[in-house]
Amino acid sequence: MTKTTFSLLIGSLLTLQACSFYPTPKTDELISHHRIVLDAGSSKTKLYFYQYDTQGKQAPQHIETLVENKQTPGLASIPLTQIDDYLSQLFTPKLASQLQHLSDAEQDDAAKRLLEQIQVYSTAGMRLISETERKSKNQAVSTWIAQWLTDNHIEFNDKNLDVRTISGAEEGAYAWAAFNYIEDNFTRQTSGILELGGASMQITFLDQQHNNITISVGGKSYALSSESHMLGQNLIAKQLSQFDACQLSGSNDTAKGNFAMCHRQAVKLIENEPQLALGHASNIHRYGLLSNFYYTAQFFDIENQYSIDQLASKASQFCDLDWNSAQAKYQDVNKTYLANYCMAAAYQTAILDEGYHLTDKQKFTPINESSTLEVSWPVGVLLTQDYQQRSEFVARSNQKNMHQ
């Protein structure tokens, strides 16, 4: 065993084998909580300031987003010298004022330490940079937030500030919890999730036999198969954009959009990922489609009648358009996004049918938000009372990411 492998394994055992997010409840009284969770993705960072209630071991109730701030690009693209300015756009004076106001309203001195946790979790973008740079940025973020809390006189236990880069499998587990909570599936049969980000994609589902993660929600444990691959839409788009069939005619001198040909190129790209072959994925009856899966379904107006065939049919018609006609038809759509929908649909159909071997026997539910809450993995962080990931899987995943 090499020194690097040994260190990686020991680090996994110490840091990610088990994470507990909730103290053991002592009573069944309804308790109010406030928490900040940051989703530091590959293309943007989003801050969520949540308020929610817990009662005994039940899952959180009445989850409400009090503040939501966004900043681009992703943290991985920000030089260390600019992190202070970057974070100040997320941790705003308005957020500090709201925290102070809520704290001042508490009558009990103990309750004035209103903010219980701050969790800054970065994902695929940060997993792609070197370990040295990743550690430096996470430390800079931690130091800056601690100073922001002090400067704004916000009472907070420093031990509850958690800044780290999470594995894709952990991200998928939180997304799974979020989707099933919002769909009220914990009272019946749970669904799997497929989450397509800019740099990575995750597939997670309940699997009693072939699992690598266990989480607890509402006092009940769930054994999950959660896999992540560096096949995010932005990374794949860079590769597909070199093929004329994936570009609308007229968008450049050689482009000639053709969905079927672009789909074949996408299939070739994912054929180099043997670990996509998850034998049990096709046994899951229903999947929630998150992030870029949802945005593509929304563009083609198939959120409520989604199928792989329907996406292919709509995309084929779109890919046949020339660039001028597409711009005239979709005047309200950002031109950068518009140019990518042909290849996005080609890739998504390829990953679903050829990558994970799913068919329209599965039911797919594209979703972005409920009536009150955005469906995103940070909600799963609130829900997860305990998280355990097999240390040998962590070491294997980290080694794989290091070589990509």
Side-chain angles (χ1 to χ4, degrees):
M1 179 182 294
T2 66
K3 182 178 180 181
T4 299
T5 304
F6 179 77
S7 299
L8 196 55
L9 179 58
I10 294 299
S12 301
L13 287 166
L14 293 175
T15 61
L16 285 179
Q17 188 174 25
C19 299
S20 184
F21 296 104
Y22 286 92
T24 303
K26 296 181 180 179
T27 70
D28 283 337
E29 66 178 309
L30 198 66
I31 302 173
S32 182
H33 303 269
H34 295 82
R35 193 192 301 200
I36 289 175
V37 182
L38 274 74
D39 170 3
S42 59
S43 60
K44 62 182 176 294
T45 296
K46 297 185 77 171
L47 177 149
Y48 301 91
F49 176 31
Y50 292 115
Q51 175 179 288
Y52 59 98
D53 299 324
T54 59
Q55 189 170 21
K57 292 185 177 181
Q58 297 178 30
Q61 309 169 44
H62 318 128
I63 300 174
E64 182 181 358
T65 307
L66 301 182
V67 175
E68 181 179 327
N69 294 330
K70 181 175 73 172
Q71 184 67 358
T72 58
L75 182 60
S77 301
I78 302 300
L80 273 173
T81 55
Q82 297 177 20
I83 280 183
D84 290 9
D85 291 338
Y86 183 80
L87 292 174
S88 67
Q89 302 300 311
L90 295 162
F91 289 84
T92 61
K94 183 178 179 180
L95 173 62
S97 177
Q98 186 161 6
L99 277 164
Q100 291 162 351
H101 175 74
L102 288 168
S103 180
D104 290 343
E106 296 289 344
Q107 300 298 317
D108 186 351
D109 285 343
K112 288 186 179 297
R113 184 173 282 182
L114 179 110
L115 185 60
E116 295 176 342
Q117 289 180 287
I118 299 177
Q119 289 156 286
V120 184
Y121 291 168
S122 52
T123 56
M126 289 282 279
R127 292 196 292 268
L128 286 170
I129 64 178
S130 71
E131 182 179 4
T132 300
E133 185 180 3
R134 184 164 57 246
K135 285 183 177 180
S136 296
K137 286 189 174 180
N138 283 336
Q139 183 57 56
V141 169
S142 183
T143 301
W144 188 93
I145 293 174
Q147 189 61 51
W148 180 82
L149 292 165
T150 300
D151 292 345
N152 288 282
H153 310 290
I154 297 169
E155 294 191 39
F156 184 76
N157 185 342
D158 291 343
K159 293 181 180 179
N160 292 331
L161 171 59
D162 187 15
V163 180
R164 60 187 174 90
T165 301
I166 62 175
S167 70
E170 183 173 356
E171 178 185 351
Y174 295 145
W176 179 89
F179 175 78
N180 283 287
Y181 173 81
I182 288 170
E183 291 287 297
D184 198 28
N185 288 339
F186 287 119
T187 60
R188 50 194 177 193
Q189 187 175 10
T190 63
S191 300
I193 64 97
L194 287 151
E195 180 189 41
L196 181 58
S200 70
M201 74 161 296
Q202 286 67 239
I203 179 170
T204 305
F205 49 87
L206 193 68
D207 192 333
Q208 296 296 337
Q209 292 184 317
H210 305 87
N211 54 75
N212 57 316
I213 283 177
T214 302
I215 65 172
S216 295
V217 178
K220 183 178 179 180
S221 293
Y222 297 89
L224 305 176
S225 172
S226 187
E227 294 280 349
S228 179
H229 303 96
M230 300 308 290
L231 293 170
Q233 187 157 288
N234 293 347
L235 294 182
I236 293 298
K238 289 180 181 179
Q239 299 180 66
L240 289 179
S241 62
Q242 65 183 301
F243 300 108
D244 291 340
C246 297
Q247 304 277 1
L248 295 189
S249 298
S251 59
N252 62 51
D253 292 340
T254 60
K256 189 172 179 60
N258 184 294
F259 174 80
M261 292 179 66
C262 187
H263 179 270
R264 284 197 288 273
Q265 295 297 341
V267 170
K268 289 180 180 179
L269 290 179
I270 64 175
E271 282 177 344
N272 297 323
E273 291 288 333
Q275 293 185 1
L276 285 177
L278 302 175
H280 298 272
S282 60
N283 293 335
I284 306 303
H285 77 290
R286 181 186 179 211
Y287 281 94
L289 300 182
L290 310 181
S291 301
N292 284 309
F293 281 118
Y294 169 81
Y295 298 130
T296 303
Q298 181 188 45
F299 173 77
F300 289 114
D301 195 25
I302 57 172
E303 308 104 296
N304 299 321
Q305 50 185 10
Y306 188 97
S307 69
I308 299 172
D309 284 347
Q310 182 80 319
L311 176 59
S313 175
K314 291 277 189 176
S316 183
Q317 296 173 38
F318 176 76
C319 294
D320 285 343
L321 293 175
D322 64 72
W323 180 232
N324 289 334
S325 297
Q327 291 181 89
K329 185 175 181 179
Y330 300 98
Q331 295 181 25
D332 295 333
V333 178
N334 181 289
K335 291 182 180 180
T336 300
Y337 297 147
L338 183 64
N340 287 334
Y341 278 118
C342 178
M343 68 182 80
Y347 170 56
Q348 290 175 27
T349 54
I351 197 72
L352 292 174
D353 58 18
E354 299 292 339
Y356 295 124
H357 304 292
L358 304 178
T359 70
D360 284 331
K361 292 180 180 179
Q362 271 80 31
K363 180 179 180 182
F364 299 103
T365 304
I367 188 169
N368 185 51
E369 59 186 11
S370 67
S371 57
T372 59
L373 200 62
E374 180 179 338
V375 184
S376 58
W377 64 258
V379 173
V381 175
L382 305 184
L383 299 169
T384 302
Q385 296 161 321
D386 184 72
Y387 170 89
Q388 295 182 10
Q389 183 167 319
R390 289 207 311 269
S391 57
E392 65 270 23
F393 177 85
V394 176
R396 175 168 58 84
S397 295
N398 286 342
Q399 284 179 312
K400 180 176 67 176
N401 288 336
M402 285 174 64
H403 290 93
Q404 288 181 325

